[in-house]
């Protein structure tokens, strides 16, 4: 199975986000910290730096797949 994870800024269209299985909403700095594994999704959500729509399980798997890019 494939998963589409979208990162939203105002530059992305609603149609791209609608096609994603999960969408992350945050600023660029938080996104990069998340991508490099320095801010786990759960901690980002709890701290209010990251919001998401969709399947949280996919985000957890994403964190494992791309750990330490």
């Amino acid at each position: 199975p494939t998963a589409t994870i979208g990162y939203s800024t105002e530059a992305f269209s609603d149609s791209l986000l609608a096609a994603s299985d999960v969408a992350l909403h945050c600023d660029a700095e938080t996104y990069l910290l998340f991508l490099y594994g320095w801010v786990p999704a759960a901690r980002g959500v709890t701290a209010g730096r990251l919001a998401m729509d969709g399947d949280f399980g996919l985000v957890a798997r994403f964190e494992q797949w791309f750990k330490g890019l």
Side-chain angles (χ1 to χ4, degrees):
T2 61
T4 304
I5 297 179
Y7 161 64
S8 75
T9 65
E10 296 186 30
F12 284 91
S13 68
D14 290 337
S15 61
L16 175 64
L17 293 176
S20 300
D21 296 313
V22 63
L24 304 175
H25 308 277
C26 60
D27 59 33
E29 176 186 359
T30 301
Y31 180 69
L32 289 174
L33 292 172
F34 165 74
L35 203 73
Y36 285 101
W38 297 332
V39 173
R43 188 172 56 176
V45 169
T46 302
R49 295 183 70 178
L50 181 66
M52 65 184 72
D53 296 315
D55 186 352
F56 183 79
L58 291 175
V59 175
R61 291 192 333 204
F62 178 85
E63 289 178 317
Q64 292 303 311
W65 295 333
F66 295 97
K67 195 169 196 156
L69 271 177

